[in-house]
Amino acid sequence: AQSVTQPDIHITVSEGASLELRCNYSYGATPYLFWYVQSPGQGLQLLLKYFSGDTLVQGIKGFEAEFKRSQSSFNLRKPSVHWSDAAEYFCAVGQPNAGGTSYGKLTFGQGTILTVHP
Amino acid sequence: DAGVIQSPRHEVTEMGQEVTLRCKPISGHDYLFWYRQTMMRGLELLIYFNNNVPIDDSGMPEDRFSAKMPNASFSTLKIQPSEPRDSAVYFCASSLIWQGAQNYGYTFGSGTRLTVV
């Protein structure tokens, strides 16, 4: 069964500093990988996704993530954090069905809470 | 598009009462998911539908929970009877069937915060 691990429960950075949030997955084939962000009291919003091709993917709000198959990782990065980036971030993995025609279910990590100091 | 719409936003009920949570998915999406979020257990998938048909309900915690999707534009999650340990935020999400990788990705509603006292 697929699984996702986000090793850091809580990260604090200063505004303007760079950010890297870690995500490791366990899956036997090429995964579909996602990062979502959740602001307080809100639902989850898709930041970016990786399906195939270029292992460095760009997302919204200046975020990017790099898929590293050898490390089973899909870490999220941002070169300069803004106070508005304070939120909880979730990594997720999708598993294709036997025919590869659909990817119904996502498995989410436990989330990483990001605090941004002024 | 108004996105995925959930109602109510907040629900406070007494233990033993029936609770019904509602979800309207994005028009044209044919997958619908119900998740529960708690501090202790994070995001848990309860059940999901494809073309209104339940595909996987293995995450439904017990028989007190039931979900229906009578048509493509409406789904309900019902808890009867409710218990304090059911207190959580319940999210509904919808997705378009994979017709190409670029179409895949859930859209979440804003959630229903349920408190059972």
Side-chain angles (χ1 to χ4, degrees):
Chain A
Q2 63 204 38
S3 66
V4 180
T5 302
Q6 294 180 244
D8 304 306
I9 296 174
H10 195 170
I11 284 184
T12 300
V13 300
S14 297
E15 190 169 17
S18 63
L19 172 69
E20 182 168 29
L21 302 182
R22 297 184 292 164
C23 173
N24 295 98
Y25 66 90
S26 172
Y27 181 57
T30 301
Y32 274 28
L33 294 161
F34 305 79
W35 275 100
Y36 283 83
V37 60
Q38 184 181 28
S39 298
Q42 300 297 314
L44 280 72
Q45 180 185 20
L46 180 65
L47 281 176
L48 49 79
K49 57 193 176 188
Y50 170 78
F51 292 152
S52 64
D54 192 348
T55 56
L56 183 64
V57 293
Q58 303 296 321
I60 62 172
K61 304 184 181 188
F63 285 92
E64 66 179 26
E66 186 171 13
F67 170 57
K68 293 186 177 180
R69 185 187 300 276
S70 62
Q71 298 177 18
S72 297
S73 70
F74 188 57
N75 294 348
L76 182 71
R77 301 194 294 248
K78 187 170 185 178
S80 178
V81 170
H82 189 262
W83 64 266
S84 61
D85 294 325
E88 188 164 13
Y89 292 80
F90 292 89
C91 182
V93 60
Q95 178 179 355
N97 66 357
T101 57
S102 66
Y103 298 78
K105 186 168 69 172
L106 292 186
T107 299
F108 286 84
Q110 286 293 96
T112 298
I113 298 171
L114 174 65
T115 298
V116 181
H117 281 320
Chain B
D1 197 323
V4 176
I5 300 172
Q6 292 187 246
S7 63
R9 286 297 307 273
H10 301 274
E11 177 80 36
V12 180
T13 190
E14 292 184 347
M15 182 174 61
Q17 296 298 306
E18 177 180 293
V19 176
T20 299
L21 312 181
R22 297 172 175 79
C23 176
K24 176 179 169 53
I26 290 176
S27 177
H29 282 192
D30 47 15
Y31 277 96
L32 184 138
F33 306 84
W34 282 100
Y35 279 87
R36 178 172 67 176
Q37 186 179 37
T38 61
M39 289 291 293
M40 292 298 295
R41 302 174 68 92
L43 269 169
E44 302 174 275
L45 176 63
L46 300 177
I47 185 171
Y48 74 96
F49 298 82
N50 178 213
N51 291 322
N52 313 337
V53 176
I55 302 300
D56 183 352
D57 66 354
S58 60
M60 297 285 263
E62 36 193 291
D63 292 344
R64 297 184 297 107
F65 286 70
S66 62
K68 294 182 180 179
M69 193 166 185
N71 56 61
S73 59
F74 184 65
S75 177
T76 59
L77 177 68
K78 185 177 293 186
I79 308 172
Q80 166 63 20
S82 58
E83 298 182 3
R85 59 195 169 115
D86 301 330
S87 297
V89 181
Y90 291 80
F91 286 104
C92 176
S94 70
S95 180
L96 186 64
I97 193 170
W98 185 68
Q99 294 174 341
Q102 68 272 16
N103 291 333
Y104 189 75
Y106 295 3
T107 301
F108 279 81
S110 297
T112 295
R113 182 174 295 277
L114 174 65
T115 303
V116 183
V117 298

